[in-house]
Amino acid sequence: MFCVPLGRGIKSQYNVKNVQIHRQDNFFNCNHSYLLLSFILRRAKKIRVGYFSDNIFHFGQSDIEFKKGYGYEYYAMLAKYTGWNYEYCYGSWTEILDEFLKGNIDIIDDVSITPERKQQMLFSSLPMGEEHYYIFVPQGNTQISMSDINTLNGKKIGANKNSLNQTLLENFIEENELDCAIVLCNGVNDRLQKIQSGEIDAMVTTDGFTMEDFRPTYLIGNSPFYFAVQKDRTDLLKQLNTAMKHNHEINPNFNNQLRDKYFKKSILRTTLSRDELNYLKNHAVIKIGYRKNSMPFCGTNSSTGELTGLLSDIIEQVENSLKVKFEKTAYGNNNEMIADLKEGRIDCAYPVMDDVWLSEQLGYTQTTSVTSERMILIYKGKYKGVDSYQKFGYTIGSPSQHVYAIEHNMGTERIGFATEEDTIQAIRKGTIDFMVMNIVSWNYWTKVHNGCEGLSYVVLEDDVGYSFAVAKANTNLYSIIESAIRKIDSSVISDSLNRHSQTKYDYSIRNFIRYNFIAFLILIFSIFMIVIFMIIIYERNRAHKEMLTFKAEHDDLTGVYNRSILQKIDRKHESNICLAIIDIDDFKSINDQYGHEMGDSIIKKVAQHLTSIARNTDRVIRFGGDEFLVIFNGMDRFQSSILMAKFQKVQRFLNEASKNTVESSVSVGIAFSEKGYTKELFDLADEALYKSKSAGKHTITINDFVVKK
């Protein structure tokens, strides 16, 4: 269980009791003989691993915590070839290294080779990867400048004791004839504490370090890093080298894949440069073009005419973080949009295919992919294999389809059509054999359009990424957008695509008649026979029934559900859900001091803000006087960061509201279940709420225990 004070940073508390009890229950339900045999086998090949604290390499600093990381996954790969079982030894880098040198740990990772260490330990023959080392400076430090290296003189710089970053810093100081002091530290946390206390002015760490409060200044060196094993464990080294060699032969990109996964968001510069800030100062409004018919990535809402889709959520985040406004222009196809980009009528465009050759041909610069999706081959009849289809159809305004076919040598005859609808209908009529489209667009298309009956698809091998396009000369805007994209959590993008993919629209009557003419005639006749009768019955009962239902299920004061709705939850058809219990802090004092009218006003505001963070599939319930429940459907433990962001947003709203009313805040307890709403789930969330209150209120607590099926 961990607690996060809303709007005040993060701290962790772990509920060991729940996990230990769960393990004991599982233990006594197992076959004792099997457990004894497993224990003997595991003990025979137990490897003591130095699991130093680092969120890039080793996330999860106890046996009961969830684990992930560059080093953690590398150890898992090695076990596949060696059969090793691990005993994790926890601590800071310095503590782990000390224990390793004492012989209490068998193997450690992320170790750079130095002459001294060659005498103390054995190293793997292949590296795990490569790191770059920088001097990081707090954002508020104006005394150290990137334009003048001599500003480092007289400063104190923290570095890990007995580490490569200490050696590199010593060499950097000597080579540049600097007069600055090196303060030896015991890991990143120790360096951060010394920064806060003023003991050091800057610190050395790798390019995997990203914090908004720090900026990189000088690159002091780079180095591959390796596994290290005990000097006398040549047997362990042999198994290690063999495993790494076999893995490299099968998957030579393994190191790069881990780096892409764990360093993907590790952009060194987390703040804008002076030139970029000047650009935003002189361009308060950025003109962006988008495809009006490219959902769920972007589109135009037929009712409001406003931008919708993933792009609308991205723009909202960028506008809030950079304090800039976007002027949006919708286009029917990419050709028109890119033409306006080249002419300077817009500053950037989305989406474009993430393809270097295509961007070069069309004369723009592309950013990193915002998202990448699998491509599918759409065909009619029995599937014959890719090479059997000759006539390929593509939408002229969507270059990604045509370019994908060219790159993958698909079809001998390629025919362009004005719209995707025309391309799809050409397959149905037999004019062409097939087309390609990304799978999320196809799924959306089949939900909101007729005319896809009788068509099937197969998933192709390669993904296609979708990026922003920026004019080549506009380098400042490119770097601004590139930085903004890398800061967006991938789960936020996935959530946005999922929400916009589920949006439903009414089918077009014109299309329904076009593709289902006979069915349309039958439908009209049937409607004519029953419409009068149905209207009379419906109009007479609708209003009365809705009024009774609403009053029975909803709270009079706030308009949200009341607790009676809990009895109507269909437990049979719900699986992963999250329950949040929200309690208004010090509500009795507010009532006593300001009166019940003010108390009612605060209750209504809390209900309003909770409703704003809930999706259509979620339920907001007033459970008691100042207590609310929110049931989030389809959310599991790994979406905790999304939930925290939602409730932090609620707290910000309440803080803003307090300027005109009295100050108010909430405490929140959250729990998860894999078998729907249960009494056990409520108790876990209530326990978490109690933790929030005990932690000083104004806090969100998430219970680590999950109700299992």
Side-chain angles (χ1 to χ4, degrees):
M1 185 179 295
F2 64 94
C3 300
V4 180
L6 293 168
R8 300 181 185 172
I10 298 176
K11 62 180 179 179
S12 296
Q13 297 177 354
Y14 295 94
N15 189 335
V16 181
K17 179 180 178 181
N18 286 342
V19 177
Q20 288 179 337
I21 292 175
H22 183 63
R23 289 185 174 183
Q24 290 170 355
D25 290 344
N26 286 342
F27 178 85
F28 288 115
N29 288 332
C30 293
N31 183 281
H32 286 208
S33 299
Y34 172 78
L35 285 176
L36 180 60
L37 177 61
S38 298
F39 174 78
I40 294 172
L41 292 175
R42 289 198 304 270
R43 190 65 179 174
K45 303 189 75 175
K46 204 72 155 181
I47 306 298
R48 297 170 299 177
V49 169
Y51 203 82
F52 57 86
S53 176
D54 183 286
N55 283 343
I56 294 292
F57 279 83
H58 308 129
F59 182 88
Q61 281 292 301
S62 73
D63 286 345
I64 65 170
E65 290 184 59
F66 170 78
K67 285 181 169 55
K68 65 177 182 178
Y70 193 114
Y72 179 70
E73 286 203 29
Y74 226 119
Y75 283 120
M77 179 277 293
L78 295 175
K80 295 176 183 178
Y81 294 99
T82 61
W84 288 346
N85 286 285
Y86 300 118
E87 176 185 334
Y88 296 104
C89 306
Y90 305 100
S92 68
W93 162 253
T94 303
E95 292 168 341
I96 292 298
L97 182 61
D98 288 344
E99 290 301 310
F100 177 79
L101 294 176
K102 293 176 183 177
N104 297 327
I105 293 174
D106 299 314
I107 184 171
I108 53 177
D109 61 286
D110 189 23
V111 186
S112 300
I113 297 178
T114 64
E116 180 184 4
R117 288 176 181 171
K118 280 186 175 181
Q119 305 300 318
Q120 299 172 316
M121 60 193 75
L122 302 174
F123 290 93
S124 59
S125 58
L126 294 176
M128 296 176 65
E130 184 176 78
E131 293 176 315
H132 296 77
Y133 294 81
Y134 290 81
I135 295 176
F136 278 81
V137 176
Q139 292 289 359
N141 188 326
T142 59
Q143 298 178 354
I144 299 177
S145 170
M146 288 186 65
S147 60
D148 184 4
I149 196 171
N150 291 318
T151 56
L152 290 173
N153 287 328
K155 305 300 187 296
K156 292 175 289 185
I157 304 174
N160 269 358
K161 181 171 60 176
N162 299 326
S163 69
L164 180 64
N165 60 47
Q166 176 187 346
T167 304
L168 292 174
L169 181 58
E170 291 170 349
N171 295 337
F172 177 78
I173 292 173
E174 182 179 351
E175 290 170 3
N176 292 278
E177 298 180 351
L178 298 173
D179 179 22
C180 49
I182 299 176
V183 178
L184 299 181
C185 306
N186 297 322
V188 173
N189 291 335
D190 187 28
R191 280 172 279 170
L192 290 173
Q193 290 175 1
K194 284 181 168 60
I195 287 276
Q196 293 174 354
S197 65
E199 295 178 57
I200 58 176
D201 303 294
M203 65 180 184
V204 174
T205 189
T206 68
D207 47 358
F209 176 80
T210 53
M211 286 186 68
E212 291 287 345
D213 296 335
F214 287 82
R215 71 180 191 277
T217 54
Y218 296 96
L219 173 67
I220 66 171
N222 62 284
S223 171
F225 53 92
Y226 299 80
F227 284 100
V229 300
Q230 288 292 336
K231 192 76 173 177
D232 60 345
R233 293 301 304 272
T234 55
D235 60 322
L236 201 62
L237 181 65
K238 182 178 180 180
Q239 294 179 63
L240 171 64
N241 286 336
T242 301
M244 294 183 74
K245 180 177 178 293
H246 285 174
N247 184 65
H248 183 75
E249 291 169 349
I250 295 172
N251 184 6
N253 292 317
F254 183 74
N255 289 5
N256 292 332
Q257 290 167 355
L258 285 183
R259 183 170 183 85
D260 288 343
K261 180 175 181 179
Y262 289 103
F263 286 78
K264 184 177 182 181
K265 297 297 182 183
S266 297
I267 51 175
L268 290 173
R269 184 164 56 83
T270 57
T271 57
L272 299 181
S273 68
R274 182 179 302 174
D275 289 341
E276 291 163 357
L277 291 172
N278 287 335
Y279 178 89
L280 292 179
K281 184 177 180 180
N282 297 324
H283 298 78
V285 176
I286 296 175
K287 298 178 181 178
I288 184 169
Y290 70 93
R291 284 279 301 276
K292 64 181 179 182
N293 53 356
S294 191
M295 288 294 286
F297 304 108
C298 55
T300 300
N301 188 295
S302 57
S303 301
T304 65
E306 296 293 325
L307 168 67
T308 186
L310 169 64
L311 180 59
S312 64
D313 295 333
I314 292 176
I315 286 179
E316 181 181 359
Q317 286 206 14
V318 175
E319 285 182 335
N320 291 336
S321 62
L322 299 182
K323 308 304 179 186
V324 67
K325 290 296 181 183
F326 282 85
E327 180 182 299
K328 305 122 184 170
T329 303
Y331 291 88
N333 59 63
N334 276 54
N335 295 344
E336 298 172 358
M337 183 168 65
I338 298 303
D340 274 8
L341 178 65
K342 294 175 69 174
E343 294 296 326
R345 285 186 280 270
I346 56 176
D347 302 311
C348 57
Y350 179 84
V352 297
M353 181 184 184
D354 185 1
D355 186 273
V356 177
W357 179 83
L358 179 61
S359 65
E360 182 182 18
Q361 297 303 307
L362 297 181
Y364 58 79
T365 300
Q366 65 180 40
T367 66
T368 300
S369 295
V370 178
T371 181
S372 60
E373 304 296 339
R374 277 295 174 93
M375 296 294 284
I376 60 173
L377 183 148
I378 302 167
Y379 64 95
K380 181 180 179 181
K382 185 178 180 181
Y383 183 62
K384 304 174 183 178
V386 176
D387 296 336
S388 300
Y389 297 110
Q390 303 303 316
K391 293 183 179 181
F392 169 75
Y394 65 93
T395 306
I396 295 173
S398 181
S400 62
Q401 297 175 2
H402 197 192
V403 171
Y404 188 90
I406 293 173
E407 290 182 349
H408 294 80
N409 197 28
M410 302 174 73
T412 57
E413 182 181 356
R414 301 185 179 111
I415 305 170
F417 295 87
T419 66
E420 288 178 332
E421 181 181 4
D422 293 338
T423 313
I424 291 171
Q425 293 313 309
I427 301 176
R428 294 190 69 186
K429 295 175 182 178
T431 307
I432 58 174
D433 298 324
F434 72 106
M435 67 177 293
V436 295
M437 183 185 290
N438 71 74
I439 192 167
V440 294
S441 294
W442 173 253
N443 289 338
Y444 182 86
W445 181 273
T446 56
K447 288 181 181 180
V448 301
H449 291 84
N450 283 320
C452 301
E453 297 83 0
L455 301 183
S456 304
Y457 70 83
V458 293
V459 179
L460 299 172
E461 181 178 357
D462 294 331
D463 294 354
V464 166
Y466 294 92
S467 311
F468 283 85
V470 183
K472 278 193 172 181
N474 202 344
T475 57
N476 283 321
L477 181 58
Y478 164 78
S479 58
I480 290 169
I481 295 177
E482 181 74 17
S483 177
I485 291 171
R486 290 180 177 271
K487 291 180 182 179
I488 298 175
D489 193 313
S490 59
S491 65
V492 174
I493 293 175
S494 298
D495 176 69
S496 177
L497 285 175
N498 182 56
R499 284 187 289 105
H500 292 296
S501 294
Q502 294 175 356
T503 303
K504 297 184 181 294
Y505 293 90
D506 292 333
Y507 287 128
S508 164
I509 295 178
R510 180 180 65 85
N511 285 339
F512 183 82
I513 297 173
R514 178 180 175 184
Y515 304 121
N516 305 277
F517 183 70
I518 296 177
F520 175 74
L521 291 179
I522 296 174
L523 178 63
I524 291 296
F525 179 77
S526 300
I527 291 175
F528 180 77
M529 296 296 294
I530 65 174
V531 67
I532 301 300
F533 176 78
M534 291 299 297
I535 288 176
I536 294 173
I537 298 298
Y538 177 76
E539 290 296 329
R540 185 175 63 183
N541 296 323
R542 178 179 59 84
H544 183 66
K545 183 177 180 180
E546 287 182 354
M547 180 189 68
L548 293 177
T549 301
F550 187 90
K551 289 182 69 66
E553 296 179 351
H554 290 75
D555 177 56
D556 291 337
L557 178 63
T558 63
V560 301
Y561 287 112
N562 58 38
R563 64 193 301 165
S564 68
I565 196 68
L566 294 174
Q567 302 174 0
K568 301 181 180 181
I569 294 177
D570 189 353
R571 294 167 176 78
K572 296 180 181 179
H573 296 90
E574 294 185 0
S575 54
N576 287 338
I577 70 167
C578 167
L579 174 65
I581 304 179
I582 302 94
D583 187 81
I584 302 173
D585 295 326
D586 302 316
F587 185 73
K588 185 178 184 302
S589 299
I590 293 174
N591 264 342
D592 293 342
Q593 186 173 355
Y594 299 99
H596 290 283
E597 185 176 344
M598 178 61 71
D600 288 349
S601 175
I602 291 175
I603 288 175
K604 288 190 284 187
K605 287 184 182 297
V606 171
Q608 175 187 351
H609 297 321
L610 291 177
T611 303
S612 71
I613 66 170
R615 303 163 300 177
N616 291 337
T617 56
D618 303 331
R619 300 181 179 92
V620 179
I621 304 166
R622 186 182 180 193
F623 189 71
D626 60 338
E627 195 170 58
F628 292 82
L629 308 182
V630 181
I631 298 176
F632 296 94
N633 284 302
M635 297 195 77
D636 58 30
R637 183 66 179 80
F638 299 103
Q639 294 171 290
S640 298
S641 60
I642 297 175
L643 289 170
M644 286 190 285
K646 286 177 179 288
F647 285 107
Q648 286 170 343
K649 185 177 180 181
V650 169
Q651 189 58 56
R652 288 197 302 272
F653 286 147
L654 291 175
N655 289 339
E656 292 171 0
S658 68
K659 297 176 183 178
N660 301 320
T661 59
V662 299
E663 184 176 356
S664 59
S665 64
V666 294
S667 295
V668 184
I670 295 175
F672 296 85
S673 170
E674 294 179 356
K675 62 177 183 180
Y677 181 87
T678 65
K679 176 64 167 57
E680 184 181 7
L681 173 63
F682 183 91
D683 291 340
L684 290 175
D686 194 47
E687 178 186 348
L689 177 62
Y690 176 79
K691 290 282 186 180
S692 293
K693 291 292 188 181
S694 301
K697 307 176 183 178
H698 194 65
T699 300
I700 174 174
T701 301
I702 298 179
N703 199 317
D704 276 343
F705 195 96
V706 177
V707 180
K708 301 292 185 179
K709 288 186 177 180

